[in-house]
Amino acid sequence: MRPQIYLFGDSITEGSFCDGGWGSSLAHHFSRTMDVVLRGYSGYNTRWALKVVERVLPAENGGAPLAVTVFFGANDACILDRCSGFQHVPLHEYKQNLHSIASFLKNQWPTTLILLITPPPIDEEERLKHPYVENPLGLPERTNEAAGAYAKACIEVAGERGIPVIDLWTKMQQFPDWQKVCLRKSFSLENSQKNNSDGLHLNQTGNKVVFEEVVTKLRENGLSLETLPFDLPLISEIDTKDPLKAFEK
Amino acid sequence: MRPQIYLFGDSITEGSFCDGGWGSSLAHHFSRTMDVVLRGYSGYNTRWALKVVERVLPAENGGAPLAVTVFFGANDACILDRCSGFQHVPLHEYKQNLHSIASFLKNQWPTTLILLITPPPIDEEERLKHPYVENPLGLPERTNEAAGAYAKACIEVAGERGIPVIDLWTKMQQFPDWQKVCLRKSFSLENSQKNNSDGLHLNQTGNKVVFEEVVTKLRENGLSLETLPFDLPLISEIDTKDPLKAFEK
């Protein structure tokens, strides 16, 4: 069986196989070496994720995966008394839930690489233009400041456990004009409607940032095209004079 | 465990998770309902595929998948005495190999939908511009006529077995200017370099044709977003007053 990486997260994971999405880019990159298994659940926070993690990533699903990305926080960070307040999870509970998810995975699959990803930054102006529910207050239901606090908490969890983390919140804001570069629709793209960029979800460049960060972290932890075995002989390894020789076991 | 569809084929399958690729589009479409498992092997013909099918699709890999796409022929159809002749498989053997692969799958997983896909048409002019190996003869190593003969044979196999088939060779040539529309690079796309269009491999439009045909055939055989259960409650099904209720088993 081919090794696997599970992508466990919210809508930014569920939508990661859009055109140029970070999930499909991973699957393309590892097309002969690793299966990229999508387990994204739009709208989910860590409280709900913790309720379902045993069903999403059951022990009996074959062997241990090589890696699992755990990418939550964008919904936990919804402001409690605003229009998406039902998704809010208090900061201390978010930290505890991430610990619990990581403990569950560590206990079940001791050798599996757990890779945390912080929530991305929020473009509040765009969030107001694309409400998911009625927003009578007229205030953004997610703020960049709150996302930053949850990102910091996520990094703390990684530090406390000694596991890798991608600080997407900081990384994306290093781009000048990051809102436009990473989060807004790029109309030059034929299929841009598939990227429902709305100040929270990522456009192709934002997706590329996540893809490159994940590939880098996997590589730092020994998982790369240089170390993973290719599934079956590559065409370049096949003797044109005697092709079938390559398929003798 | 989530139901699965395996994509078994050559480079047009291996590359199907490129930006806008038919594999990633399937994974996006079925993001909460079905795992799309990539088993593409660049350069492979049905002779080699038959040698490895037991290793690629082993019975012990959990339950039977819902569907398997079998998409070979572009390499079998290489002209014997031209520069990619080592990939050539005679037409009658191609037919027999497709039958053998389908028999293997049918025997192992009687309920699994087997979906054959014919090779696409060939843009010979472009093939000459993008040789894969040294081409001293200066003749295209793949021709559209040969691809058409293999496509016809593939359709015959499907007819003989009573299984569905996508006639990609005919379908694509129904577009006026099909070479440009389905097979040539579209430079309007940021990431077009990821589509290595070369007169054989598909551009984003070509990929979209395959995606839509596969979705249609799956639907005709009872596999669609309307019939497949969604994995875990959708955000729209969660009671905002009592979210955790949705996660009681």
Side-chain angles (χ1 to χ4, degrees):
Chain A
M1 212 168 122
R2 236 191 244 195
Q4 296 178 311
I5 177 171
Y6 278 88
L7 312 185
F8 183 38
D10 55 30
S11 57
I12 306 171
T13 297
E14 183 175 327
S16 70
F17 281 71
C18 63
D19 290 356
W22 65 278
S24 50
S25 297
L26 282 174
H28 190 54
H29 183 78
F30 291 113
S31 62
R32 284 288 281 275
T33 50
M34 196 152 61
D35 284 334
V36 180
V37 188
L38 181 58
R39 290 294 180 270
Y41 301 90
S42 284
Y44 279 40
N45 55 34
T46 54
R47 189 186 287 164
W48 308 348
L50 187 56
K51 288 279 179 204
V52 300
V53 64
E54 282 183 61
R55 278 179 275 172
V56 171
L57 301 166
E60 62 267 26
N61 250 15
L66 289 183
V68 179
T69 59
V70 178
F71 188 178
F72 288 100
N75 298 310
D76 301 65
C78 284
I79 308 293
L80 179 59
D81 53 5
R82 296 189 187 171
C83 64
S84 291
F86 76 104
Q87 290 167 284
H88 169 80
V89 170
L91 195 55
H92 67 275
E93 187 192 331
Y94 169 70
K95 272 194 75 170
Q96 189 49 53
N97 290 342
L98 278 186
H99 267 298
S100 299
I101 291 167
S103 293
F104 167 80
L105 293 172
K106 182 74 185 168
N107 187 49
Q108 175 162 294
W109 294 317
T111 61
T112 297
L113 177 71
I114 303 166
L115 174 52
L116 299 184
I117 306 177
T118 76
I122 296 293
D123 178 353
E124 296 171 22
E125 203 181 308
E126 283 292 295
R127 285 300 315 117
L128 286 174
K129 286 186 203 154
H130 305 281
Y132 304 138
V133 290
E134 213 188 335
N135 184 8
L137 282 176
L139 295 168
E141 88 296 348
R142 287 167 175 83
T143 67
N144 195 37
E145 189 188 354
Y150 284 73
K152 188 165 163 280
C154 177
I155 294 162
E156 285 167 6
V157 171
E160 287 157 17
R161 306 190 69 90
I163 61 175
V165 61
I166 294 170
D167 180 3
L168 203 58
W169 189 80
T170 300
K171 188 85 198 170
M172 283 192 173
Q173 290 181 86
Q174 287 166 352
F175 290 86
D177 216 4
W178 57 268
Q179 296 92 335
K180 189 152 178 269
V181 171
C182 295
L183 295 169
R184 292 199 192 162
K185 272 201 173 103
S186 161
F187 286 103
S188 69
L189 291 162
E190 265 178 35
N191 292 294
S192 61
Q193 71 282 5
K194 286 201 182 173
N195 281 103
N196 35 336
S197 305
D198 49 20
L200 163 63
H201 295 97
L202 313 176
N203 64 18
Q204 286 217 345
T205 304
N207 269 286
K208 194 156 175 271
V209 171
V210 181
F211 163 66
E212 287 174 356
E213 289 291 313
V214 172
V215 167
T216 299
K217 290 291 177 193
L218 292 176
R219 179 186 304 276
E220 286 171 6
N221 288 276
L223 304 176
S224 72
L225 295 186
E226 288 74 41
T227 60
L228 294 165
F230 280 73
D231 178 19
L232 294 176
L234 296 175
I235 183 74
S236 57
E237 297 166 339
I238 291 173
D239 182 349
T240 59
K241 300 274 187 296
D242 184 8
L244 289 182
K245 204 170 59 187
F247 301 103
E248 290 162 11
K249 279 194 200 177
Chain B
M1 214 168 122
R2 237 190 243 196
Q4 296 179 311
I5 177 171
Y6 278 89
L7 313 184
F8 184 38
D10 55 29
S11 59
I12 306 171
T13 297
E14 182 175 327
S16 69
F17 281 73
C18 64
D19 290 356
W22 65 279
S24 50
S25 297
L26 282 174
H28 190 54
H29 183 78
F30 291 113
S31 62
R32 284 287 282 275
T33 50
M34 196 152 62
D35 284 333
V36 180
V37 189
L38 181 58
R39 289 294 180 270
Y41 301 90
S42 284
Y44 279 40
N45 55 33
T46 55
R47 187 186 289 164
W48 308 350
L50 187 56
K51 288 278 177 202
V52 299
V53 64
E54 282 183 61
R55 279 180 275 173
V56 170
L57 301 166
E60 62 268 24
N61 251 14
L66 289 183
V68 179
T69 60
V70 178
F71 187 178
F72 288 98
N75 299 311
D76 301 63
C78 284
I79 308 294
L80 179 60
D81 53 5
R82 296 190 187 171
C83 64
S84 291
F86 74 104
Q87 291 166 284
H88 170 81
V89 170
L91 197 54
H92 66 275
E93 185 192 332
Y94 169 71
K95 272 194 75 170
Q96 188 49 55
N97 290 341
L98 277 185
H99 266 298
S100 299
I101 291 168
S103 293
F104 167 80
L105 293 173
K106 183 75 186 166
N107 188 49
Q108 174 162 296
W109 294 317
T111 61
T112 297
L113 176 72
I114 303 167
L115 174 52
L116 298 185
I117 307 176
T118 77
I122 296 292
D123 178 353
E124 295 172 21
E125 202 180 308
E126 282 293 294
R127 285 299 315 118
L128 286 174
K129 286 187 204 156
H130 304 281
Y132 304 138
V133 290
E134 214 188 335
N135 185 6
L137 281 177
L139 294 169
E141 89 296 348
R142 288 167 174 83
T143 66
N144 195 38
E145 189 188 354
Y150 284 73
K152 187 165 163 282
C154 177
I155 295 162
E156 285 167 7
V157 171
E160 286 156 18
R161 305 191 70 87
I163 62 176
V165 61
I166 294 169
D167 180 2
L168 203 59
W169 190 81
T170 300
K171 187 85 199 170
M172 282 192 174
Q173 290 181 85
Q174 287 166 351
F175 290 86
D177 216 3
W178 57 268
Q179 297 90 334
K180 190 154 178 265
V181 170
C182 294
L183 294 169
R184 291 201 192 162
K185 272 201 173 106
S186 161
F187 286 105
S188 68
L189 291 163
E190 266 177 34
N191 293 294
S192 60
Q193 72 281 4
K194 287 200 180 173
N195 282 99
N196 36 334
S197 305
D198 49 19
L200 163 63
H201 295 98
L202 313 175
N203 65 17
Q204 287 217 344
T205 304
N207 269 285
K208 195 157 176 271
V209 171
V210 182
F211 163 67
E212 286 173 357
E213 288 294 312
V214 172
V215 167
T216 300
K217 289 292 176 193
L218 292 176
R219 179 186 303 277
E220 284 170 8
N221 288 277
L223 304 176
S224 73
L225 295 185
E226 289 74 40
T227 61
L228 294 165
F230 280 74
D231 178 19
L232 294 176
L234 297 176
I235 184 75
S236 58
E237 297 166 340
I238 290 173
D239 182 348
T240 59
K241 300 274 188 295
D242 183 10
L244 288 183
K245 205 170 60 188
F247 301 102
E248 290 162 10
K249 277 193 200 178

